[in-house]
């Protein structure tokens, strides 16, 4: 008897469902798409808030990027602006507070640094800044020579932060992107969540895995990814003229700053290539000059090493300003006033000081 009652109930339910009719496939697809869109919008809105709470690095990058976007050739008091761009070598190698204090009378010094970035990140990053109206008087790009030759970018984070939409096809050509990766760059350019999901995952790992930062520092690959001197030279011959073209197109002065290193990096040869291309290359510490005890990990400078290197950067900028002033004085004597101020300033070498 219970079985017959159960069967009758099932039959009744089935009959009722059949009367209502089958669920439309179109409505199911619409419902699914609506759910996916809601999830994506939630992630898109929450990503900045998550990073704001979890990542001091992302907060710093955001502040520095906004300041860089607003830079003009000079401050209200007439001091030229200098923008330092680069990666962790810049963060650890140049003490910005000390540099700002030393050059307060001559320059307004700013920084825009993103860890794990290479040449293509900054070539397109600088292009984007200039396209958006940023006009620092001097841009100092701090990269090791193997990073100058690197073909890497920061991927989706680069596409969102440092790639302009108008440069997309140029990015595809320069980085040899396949179609799948290129499409991910397009979506990441407009999506904060796609760009930041890697940083969010890293923040979660830092919070959940004990001493994750120490572990990451130990296993990180800080060695050069391009060792062949010929490849380094070919990259410099191709890429320094690209920076020179930005000089001419936007009227800014771009300088390549090569941080100290323990190994031979062909920086002197690259300096000569830069001189021919019209891009000063600052080698303020020849390879091997700084001893190992000036480095944290054989790659990044420690406090002692960065203090010495910062002093040399400061002196180089002072020397540049003095040479520029002298050149302008010469131009005023030799040319009409309307023609002065447009000459290229030759690269200057700082006399190497003692340790």
């Amino acid at each position: 008897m219970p079985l017959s009652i159960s069967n009758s109930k099932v039959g009744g339910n089935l009959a009722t469902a059949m009367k209502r009719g089958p669920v439309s496939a179109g409505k199911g697809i619409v419902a699914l798409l609506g759910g996916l869109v809601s999830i994506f919008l939630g992630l898109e809105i929450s990503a900045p808030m998550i990073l704001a709470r979890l990542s001091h690095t992302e907060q710093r990058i955001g502040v520095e990027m906004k300041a860089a976007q607003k830079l003009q050739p000079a401050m209200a008091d007439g001091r030229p602006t200098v923008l330092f761009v680069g990666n962790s070598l810049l963060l650890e190698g140049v003490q910005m507070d000390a540099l700002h204090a030393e050059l307060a009378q001559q320059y307004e010094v700013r920084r825009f640094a993103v860890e794990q970035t290479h040449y293509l990140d900054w070539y397109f990053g600088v292009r984007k800044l200039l396209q958006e109206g940023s006009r620092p008087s001097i841009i100092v790009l701090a990269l090791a020579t193997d990073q100058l030759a690197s073909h890497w970018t920061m991927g989706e984070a680069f596409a969102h932060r440092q790639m302009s939409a108008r440069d997309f096809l140029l990015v595809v050509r320069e980085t040899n992107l396949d179609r799948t990766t290129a499409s991910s760059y397009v979506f990441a350019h407009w999506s904060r969540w796609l760009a930041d999901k890697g940083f969010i995952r890293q923040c979660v790992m830092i919070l959940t895995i004990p001493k994750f930062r120490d572990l990451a520092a130990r296993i990180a690959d800080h060695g050069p990814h391009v060792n062949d001197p010929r490849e380094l030279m070919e990259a410099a011959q191709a890429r320094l003229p690209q920076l020179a073209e930005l000089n001419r197109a936007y009227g800014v002065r771009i300088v390549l700053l090569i941080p100290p290193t323990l190994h031979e990096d062909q920086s002197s040869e690259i300096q000569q290539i830069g001189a021919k291309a019209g891009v000063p290359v600052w080698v303020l510490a020849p390879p091997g000059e700084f001893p190992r005890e000036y480095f944290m990990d054989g790659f990044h400078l420690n406090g002692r090493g960065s203090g010495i290197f910062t002093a040399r950067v400061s002196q180089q900028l002072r020397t540049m300003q003095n040479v520029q002033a002298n050149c302008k004085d010469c131009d005023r004597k030799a040319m009409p006033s309307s023609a002065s101020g447009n000459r290229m300033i030759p690269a200057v070498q700082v006399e190497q000081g003692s340790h």
Side-chain angles (χ1 to χ4, degrees), residues 23-77:
V23 177
S24 169
K27 291 181 179 179
I29 293 174
V30 170
L32 177 61
L33 291 177
L36 292 175
V37 170
S38 299
I39 292 172
F40 183 78
L41 289 176
L43 292 172
E44 194 71 24
I45 295 171
S46 62
M49 295 184 288
I50 293 173
L51 280 178
R53 294 182 64 87
L54 296 181
S55 176
H56 295 295
T57 297
E58 282 300 300
Q59 293 176 33
R60 174 190 59 75
I61 291 173
V63 170
E64 291 181 353
M65 182 172 64
K66 289 179 180 178
Q69 291 169 339
K70 299 176 182 179
L71 280 180
Q72 294 303 305
M75 302 297 289
D77 57 9

Side-chain angles (χ1 to χ4, degrees), residues 156 168 172 176-188 194:
E156 293 171 335
F168 173 69
V172 172
N176 296 316
L177 295 182
D178 56 65
R179 293 183 178 180
T180 301
T181 307
S183 62
S184 71
Y185 275 36
V186 171
F187 290 119
L194 292 177

